[in-house]
Amino acid sequence: MGRDVKDLIIIGAGPAGITASIYAARKRLNFLVISEDIGGQTGWSGDIENYTGYQFITGPDLVNKFEEHMRRYDVLFKENERVLEVRKTGETVSVKTVKGEYTAKTAIIASGKKSRELGVPGEKEFKNRGLTYCATCDGPLFSGKEVAVIGGGNSALDAALQLIRIAKFVYIINIGPDLTGDPIMQEKLRESPIIKVLNNAHVTAVKGDKFVTGLKVRLPGSEETLNVQGIFIEIGLIPNAGMAPDVEKNKYGEIKVSAYNETNVPGIFAAGDVTDVPEKQIVIAAGEGSKAALGVFRYLNKTK
């Protein structure tokens, strides 16, 4: 193999990818990390109270800790570079990006997930004009305004908890009969006088002029327009797995992995939220990243 063929390419720099890079560095592997950003979904999180070692830390602060740890090892990192395709060709893995092509003996796909869209009229027109998918990123822009959070799970409740410190009033628009987020988060929201939960509610359209001015919602027996200036969509995530067409996926589009983070393609591993590992948590993604890197190390030792 040529001198430009690395031992490993890690795709993604969220908790799984960064942890994999730290383990790969400690194993003295010749590797490269490629990612569009640093931190992934962790950077969108508000208050984190369940990451071991930190009784309380914000998502952006935890991302800074992750990056600081990774940079200690002088990791070769291609940032702001989107991966287009990952394929096994002969004995090597080819990774094509918007900027070029890289080759390695192995790869770890740790590309996480992206926000699911509502698919209603006005959504695309008002994206970044009052409609957003990240309360942590954009919440401060809506100080003193009335806003709506779409969703009923943990991500929606986390967004609402962030927004009650900023906004004038917060609606939670939940398609189901009850919220499904953690009970402790629901309890905190019930304590707030500026929260209103609308269950069995279906969003039908986003209204606005230059920016968002309202949200049309269908309720049991009625339809109304909420006069909100901000809309935060938190209805779930879709795996960023389309780059790997030969890798087996489950019905949700998640990459299927073994207990050793192996995919069905020898030499291609996967870790974190892009996989079918149950429970999408920061601490779980980090652990899966370490397992994947150790799996790569074991694989390389067997195939040399």
Side-chain angles (χ1 to χ4, degrees), residues 40 47 51 58 68 73 81 106 121 124 177 179 208 281-282:
D47 300 343
Y51 192 83
T58 68
E68 180 183 326
Y73 292 98
E81 191 163 346
T106 62
K124 293 188 183 299
L179 298 175
Q281 298 288 313
I282 297 170

Side-chain angles (χ1 to χ4, degrees), residues 109-179:
I109 301 172
S111 47
K113 292 188 172 184
K114 61 184 176 182
S115 297
R116 187 183 300 276
E117 296 180 347
L118 275 174
V120 300
E123 179 177 14
K124 293 188 183 299
E125 292 85 341
F126 293 102
K127 183 179 179 181
N128 298 325
R129 294 166 59 196
L131 184 147
T132 178
Y133 301 85
C134 180
T136 302
C137 314
D138 301 322
L141 300 174
F142 298 86
S143 177
K145 297 181 179 180
E146 296 193 11
V147 301
V149 176
I150 318 300
N154 279 343
S155 59
L157 301 193
D158 179 69
L161 286 171
Q162 295 180 60
L163 291 165
I164 59 176
R165 305 174 186 177
I166 299 167
K168 179 181 179 181
F169 197 85
V170 181
Y171 294 95
I172 298 178
I173 314 301
N174 178 34
I175 196 171
D178 298 291
L179 298 175

Side-chain angles (χ1 to χ4, degrees), residues 44-101:
W44 307 348
S45 300
D47 300 343
I48 297 170
E49 299 177 348
N50 59 356
Y51 192 83
T52 310
Y54 295 98
Q55 294 182 14
F56 171 85
I57 190 168
T58 68
D61 285 344
L62 186 55
V63 169
N64 289 337
K65 294 290 187 182
F66 285 160
E67 183 179 3
E68 180 183 326
H69 196 166
M70 179 181 69
R71 299 286 190 190
R72 283 185 58 198
Y73 292 98
D74 195 27
V75 170
L76 180 58
F77 185 28
K78 300 286 186 179
E79 193 178 354
N80 301 316
E81 191 163 346
R82 182 165 59 92
V83 172
L84 302 175
E85 186 180 70
V86 182
R87 281 188 186 272
K88 180 76 175 288
T89 305
E91 297 181 359
T92 61
V93 178
S94 172
V95 178
K96 294 181 181 178
T97 76
V98 292
K99 296 182 180 180
E101 185 171 353

Side-chain angles (χ1 to χ4, degrees), residues 5 8 15 28 50 72 87 104 112 138 159 174 180 193 196-197 247 250 279 285 294:
V5 177
L8 166 67
R28 300 293 192 269
N50 59 356
R72 283 185 58 198
R87 281 188 186 272
D138 301 322
N174 178 34
T180 58
K196 183 175 183 179
V197 179
V247 169
N250 65 13
E279 309 303 341
L294 293 173

